């Protein structure tokens, strides 16, 4: 039954449920003053006093109006689904249903309010993580720096040790006495007074490389020691790596790469689980920015001068590695940007600091003995 267009203002087509109408019969309903009248299919008109009718919302998404009452001990209900008719009744309530419809309007307003609130919460739940991710990648450097600032030196050392333990399986650490002693002597001279407790290790690897782990672990390949012609040249590379630790370049890079997961774990002080292994893996793929390399070079140069170690060694080892940069065994500078410019900057630094530096005695290390102690 769909005869809405011909119905009077307070009449509508609905579905009626009653004792013998479990599936719902299409009926015509008239709302006359004081009564709800059902026009059944057999022509019988059934009048119900509006005082006994309860009006409420129901159905999916609460879009139906349900007129319910009891008659002869049985439950009856008429459903109005036509929203246009609902709007007409809302704007012009039938006599006797004013309070019911006003309550319905109030409930409708609350329902819309809660619906909007619910959708707003759901939207926020979905959008906030996306917004945080977008913000993180947009301001990754700044957020990484902020996150790193929250990590104490002691916490960084614990994290660095965990990373080093995770990375040991891929290293061939050796401890030849002359080379290890020389490495530690130079290293401790450079890091004396630092808030980090540095550890220095030799890795039996022919590639010319060295790397620093957050917290103060520095690993030097035998290839680098063999390529160095003096203790000052090794000191030049160590000074560079020390600055990566002091300036927390590695830690910032890892936090930036690992993203919110790392920040959340750091925020809770959790340095366990898979994080160190992931950071160890990340360390091998980590590359510093041009500005970070330049900063480590220049700060490392100044560190050498302050520690009375001739900075010419840093320039000469860089020049040497630059010439051999195309060889597969040289990895120290191959991943670093614009080596020629860096060498020129160091030479300029040397000219500018020459007048303020005193003559520096060479490091008292028998370099030939150091190199001879390494595996051939």
């Amino acid at each position: 039954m769909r005869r809405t267009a011909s119905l009077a203002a307070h009449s509508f087509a609905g579905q009626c449920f009653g004792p013998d109408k479990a599936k719902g019969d299409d009926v015509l309903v008239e709302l006359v003053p004081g009564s709800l009248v059902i026009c059944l299919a057999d022509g019988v008109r059934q009048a119900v006093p509006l005082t006994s009718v309860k009006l409420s919302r129901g159905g999916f998404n609460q879009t139906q109006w349900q007129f319910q009452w009891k008659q002869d001990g049985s439950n009856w209900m008429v459903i109005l689904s036509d929203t246009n008719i609902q709007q007409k009744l809302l704007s012009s309530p039938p006599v006797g249903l004013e309070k019911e419809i006003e309550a319905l309007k109030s409930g409708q307003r609350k329902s819309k309010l809660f619906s909007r609130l619910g959708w707003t919460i759901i939207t926020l739940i979905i959008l906030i993580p996306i917004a945080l991710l977008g913000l993180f990648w947009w301001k990754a450097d700044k957020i990484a720096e902020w996150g790193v600032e929250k990590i104490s030196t002691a916490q960084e050392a614990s994290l660095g040790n965990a990373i080093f333990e995770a990375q040991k399986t891929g290293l061939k650490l050796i401890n030849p006495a002359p080379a290890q002693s020389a490495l530690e002597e130079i290293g401790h001279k450079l890091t004396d007074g630092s808030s980090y407790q540095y550890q220095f290790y030799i890795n039996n690897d022919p590639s010319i490389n060295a790397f620093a782990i957050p917290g103060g672990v520095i690993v030097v390949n035998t290839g680098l020691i063999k390529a160095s012609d003096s203790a000052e040249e090794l000191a030049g590379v160590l000074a560079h790596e020390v600055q990566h630790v002091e300036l927390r370049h590695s830690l910032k890079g890892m936090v930036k790469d690992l993203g919110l997961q790392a920040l959340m774990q750091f925020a809770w002080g959790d340095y366990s689980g898979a994080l160190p292994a992931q950071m160890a893996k990340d360390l091998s793929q980590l590359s510093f920015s041009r500005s970070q390399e330049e900063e480590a070079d220049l700060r490392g140069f100044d560190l050498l001068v302050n520690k009375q170690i001739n900075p010419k060694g840093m320039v000469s080892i860089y020049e040497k590695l630059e010439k051999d940069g195309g060889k597969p065994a040289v990895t120290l500078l191959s991943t670093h940007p614009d080596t020629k410019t860096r060498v020129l900057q160091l030479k300029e630094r040397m000219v500018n600091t020459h007048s303020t530096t005193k003559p520096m005695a060479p490091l008292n290390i028998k370099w030939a003995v150091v190199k001879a102690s390494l595996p051939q």
Side-chain angles (χ1 to χ4, degrees), residues 156 167 183 186-188 190-191 194 196-201 207-221 224-225 228 232-251 254 283-284 286-289 292-304 314 317-318 321 330-337 342 346:
E156 186 182 352
Q167 202 166 43
L183 177 63
I186 299 169
H188 291 317
L190 287 170
T191 59
S194 170
Y196 292 96
Q197 298 295 318
Y198 280 86
Q199 305 169 57
F200 299 93
Y201 297 92
S207 62
I208 302 173
N209 202 9
F211 61 90
I213 296 174
V217 175
I218 293 181
V219 179
V220 176
N221 281 359
L224 173 62
I225 299 175
S228 302
E232 283 76 9
E233 288 191 346
L234 177 62
V237 176
L238 287 180
H240 174 94
E241 296 300 330
V242 164
Q243 291 306 318
H244 280 318
V245 174
E246 297 288 326
L247 298 167
R248 293 182 148 183
H249 288 162
S250 300
L251 190 60
M254 291 177 185
L283 181 67
S284 63
L286 190 66
S287 61
F288 298 116
S289 68
Q292 286 177 326
E293 291 296 355
E294 290 178 356
E295 189 178 23
D297 283 347
L298 298 180
R299 293 278 293 267
F301 183 97
D302 293 343
L303 176 64
L304 290 168
M314 176 183 263
I317 187 70
Y318 277 20
L321 299 182
V330 179
T331 57
L332 181 62
L333 298 182
S334 62
T335 57
H336 296 182
R342 294 170 61 190
L346 290 174

Side-chain angles (χ1 to χ4, degrees), residues 76-97:
W76 286 77
M77 179 171 67
V78 167
I79 292 177
L80 168 59
S81 300
D82 190 324
T83 55
N84 290 325
I85 298 297
Q86 292 174 4
Q87 289 302 317
K88 286 181 181 178
L89 295 177
L90 286 171
S91 60
S92 179
V95 175
L97 270 184

Side-chain angles (χ1 to χ4, degrees), residues 307-376:
K307 297 296 182 180
Q308 291 296 296
I309 299 175
N310 198 325
K312 288 182 180 178
M314 176 183 263
V315 178
S316 62
I317 187 70
Y318 277 20
E319 286 180 320
K320 187 181 302 177
L321 299 182
E322 181 194 356
K323 290 177 183 176
D324 295 337
K327 295 181 180 179
V330 179
T331 57
L332 181 62
L333 298 182
S334 62
T335 57
H336 296 182
D338 202 8
T339 307
K340 288 184 179 179
T341 301
R342 294 170 61 190
V343 172
L344 290 174
Q345 286 177 331
L346 290 174
K347 287 184 173 179
E348 182 180 356
R349 193 79 156 194
M350 188 175 296
V351 171
N352 292 335
T353 58
H354 179 72
S355 59
T356 61
T357 56
K358 299 177 181 178
M360 299 174 188
L363 292 168
N364 186 23
I365 295 175
K366 295 179 179 178
W367 197 244
V369 175
V370 169
K371 295 177 73 170
S373 69
L374 299 175
Q376 299 303 310

Side-chain angles (χ1 to χ4, degrees), residues 18 43 60 89 94 102 115-116 151 157 161 163 222 226 238 250 267-268 299 328-329 352 356 361 376:
F60 177 73
L89 295 177
E102 184 56 35
S115 177
R116 288 174 183 167
I151 302 172
N161 287 331
I163 294 172
T222 51
K226 291 178 179 178
L238 287 180
S250 300
W268 288 103
R299 293 278 293 267
N352 292 335
T356 61
Q376 299 303 310

